[in-house]
C-alpha cells in the first residue's frame, strides 16, 4: 500500500518548482492531486505528467485569495474525487524592495497572495472538516503551510515577504491548537530549493550543478510534504520544519527567555536599561537577518 493511497490533496502554486515536485511525489504515492495554479496551462502540464505515470490529478486555476474562489476549488475537488484530506498552501510571489522603497501595492500584493492565500483554502476546508467531525465522522486531515527562512529570521530587501511568512508560521501554531479537536493537524515547512522565485533572487546559489548531488532540487523537499499529508504524521502538529537538500530540522520558535524582576515594583525608565543589558548578556542571540 502506498503512503497516500486514496487521499486527495490540493496543492496551490503547483504548476512549477516546489509545487510541481509535491504533485508528482504525492501522485506517485497514490494521492489524488488537485494541481492549482494561476496559469492553467502550467497546471494542465503537471496533470498530463501525472496521468502519463498512471496517477490521478485535476488541473485547476481557481482563485486562492478569496473565500469564493476557495469554495469553488474545494467544490471541484469534491466533484472529481469525493473528499479532500489535505491542502498544501504553496503559492507565492516576490515584490522585493528595500523597506524605504516599498510601495503600498508591493506590500498588499505579497500579503494577499501569501497570507490571505494561506487563509482562504484552509478556512473553507477547516469548516468542512469541523462539520464532518461534528457529524461523527472520524477525520485525519492536514493543513500544510509554507513559511520561509525570511519569515523565521527576516531578510534584507524582503520586509513584505518576511512579514507575510512570519505570519504564516504563527497562523500554523494557532490552527494546530484550535483544530486538533476535529482530527486536523497543521504544520509548516520552510523549504530552500530551486524555484522561479529563488532563481530570481539568488540564481548562483540555487543553480543546478554540472554533476553530483543537486542540493536545491525541489524533489528533495517533496518527501516531507508526502509524509505530512499521509496518515503516518497524525501525531505531529504545530511544528515548523526547515528543509533543503539532505537536511531537515525542527524550528525552535519564540519562547520566553531570561527574565528579571524588580521586587514587586515597576522598573523606572532610568533603571530598566541595566536590567535589559543583563538579560541580553545571558540570552541566546537570534540568528542574523538574511543578507545582513
Amino acid at each position: 500500500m502506498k503512503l497516500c493511497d486514496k487521499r486527495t490533496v490540493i496543492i496551490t502554486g503547483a504548476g512549477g518548482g516546489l509545487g510541481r515536485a509535491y504533485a508528482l511525489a504525492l501522485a506517485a504515492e497514490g494521492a489524488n492531486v488537485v494541481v492549482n495554479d494561476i496559469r492553467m496551462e502550467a497546471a494542465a502540464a503537471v496533470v498530463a505528467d501525472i496521468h502519463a505515470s498512471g496517477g490521478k490529478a485535476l488541473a485547476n486555476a481557481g482563485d486562492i485569495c478569496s473565500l469564493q474562489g476557495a469554495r469553488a476549488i474545494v467544490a471541484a475537488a469534491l466533484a472529481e474525487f469525493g473528499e479532500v484530506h489535505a491542502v498544501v498552501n504553496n503559492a507565492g510571489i516576490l515584490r522585493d524592495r528595500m523597506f524605504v522603497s516599498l510601495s503600498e501595492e508591493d506590500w498588499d500584493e505579497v500579503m494577499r497572495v501569501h497570507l490571505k492565500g494561506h487563509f482562504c483554502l484552509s478556512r473553507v476546508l477547516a469548516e468542512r472538516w469541523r462539520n464532518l467531525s461534528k457529524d461523527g465522522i472520524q477525520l485525519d486531515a492536514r493543513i500544510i503551510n509554507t513559511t520561509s527562512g525570511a519569515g523565521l529570521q527576516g531578510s534584507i530587501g524582503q520586509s513584505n515577504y518576511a512579514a507575510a511568512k512570519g505570519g504564516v508560521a504563527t497562523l500554523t501554531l494557532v490552527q494546530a491548537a484550535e483544530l486538533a479537536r476535529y482530527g486536523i493537524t497543521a504544520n509548516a515547512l520552510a523549504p530552500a530549493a530551486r524555484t522561479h522565485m529563488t532563481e530570481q533572487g539568488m540564481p548562483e546559489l540555487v543553480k543546478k550543478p554540472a554533476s553530483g548531488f543537486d542540493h536545491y532540487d525541489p524533489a528533495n523537499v517533496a518527501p516531507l510534504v508526502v509524509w505530512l499529508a499521509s496518515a503516518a504524521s497524525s501525531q505531529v502538529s504545530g511544528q515548523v520544519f526547515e528543509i533543503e537538500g539532505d537536511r531537515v530540522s525542527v524550528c525552535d520558535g519564540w519562547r520566553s527567555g531570561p527574565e528579571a524582576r524588580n521586587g514587586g515594583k515597576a522598573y523606572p525608565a532610568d533603571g530598566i536599561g541595566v536590567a535589559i543589558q543583563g538579560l541580553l548578556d545571558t540570552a541566546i542571540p537570534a540568528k542574523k537577518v538574511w543578507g545582513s
Side-chain angles (χ1 to χ4, degrees), residues 13-26:
L18 283 164
R20 179 180 184 277
Y22 301 161
L24 296 176
L26 280 160

Side-chain angles (χ1 to χ4, degrees), residues 31-150:
N32 307 315
V33 183
V34 179
V35 179
N36 171 269
D37 199 284
I38 194 171
R39 305 160 300 159
M40 186 61 174
E41 67 282 3
V46 175
V47 168
D49 288 342
I50 290 172
H51 287 168
S53 298
K56 296 179 180 179
L58 173 69
N60 180 280
D63 179 14
I64 66 168
C65 297
S66 72
L67 286 177
Q68 180 180 0
R71 290 188 182 103
I73 295 167
V74 172
L78 295 174
E80 185 75 11
F81 299 120
E83 191 49 83
V84 178
H85 304 90
V87 59
V88 181
N89 292 306
N90 168 73
I93 61 168
L94 290 178
R95 295 290 186 270
D96 290 355
R97 302 283 190 279
M98 297 301 283
F99 181 71
V100 296
S101 301
L102 199 64
S103 71
E104 187 174 7
E105 182 182 4
D106 292 333
W107 180 271
D108 288 346
E109 189 64 8
V110 167
M111 290 296 165
R112 186 182 74 87
V113 175
H114 286 279
L115 206 47
K116 192 176 181 185
H118 270 66
F119 163 71
C120 291
L121 264 174
S122 298
R123 168 65 177 77
V124 169
L125 285 167
E127 182 178 13
R128 173 179 175 78
W129 291 332
R130 180 199 63 184
N131 292 341
L132 290 173
S133 177
K134 286 185 173 182
D135 288 340
I137 297 172
Q138 187 172 0
L139 294 178
D140 192 22
R142 303 283 182 270
I143 296 172
I144 302 168
N145 293 328
T146 306
T147 182
S148 165

Side-chain angles (χ1 to χ4, degrees), residues 180-237:
R181 72 189 72 179
Y182 306 120
I184 305 166
T185 69
N187 294 285
L189 62 152
R194 187 170 51 254
T195 68
H196 178 67
M197 290 199 304
T198 56
E199 285 181 319
Q200 284 182 302
M202 50 186 81
E204 287 304 311
L205 177 66
V206 301
K207 184 169 63 175
K208 185 175 182 178
S211 61
F213 179 58
D214 185 359
H215 187 83
Y216 290 103
D217 186 344
N220 299 331
V221 179
L224 175 58
V225 173
V226 171
W227 182 76
L228 286 173
S230 75
S233 66
S234 62
Q235 302 305 310
V236 177
S237 194

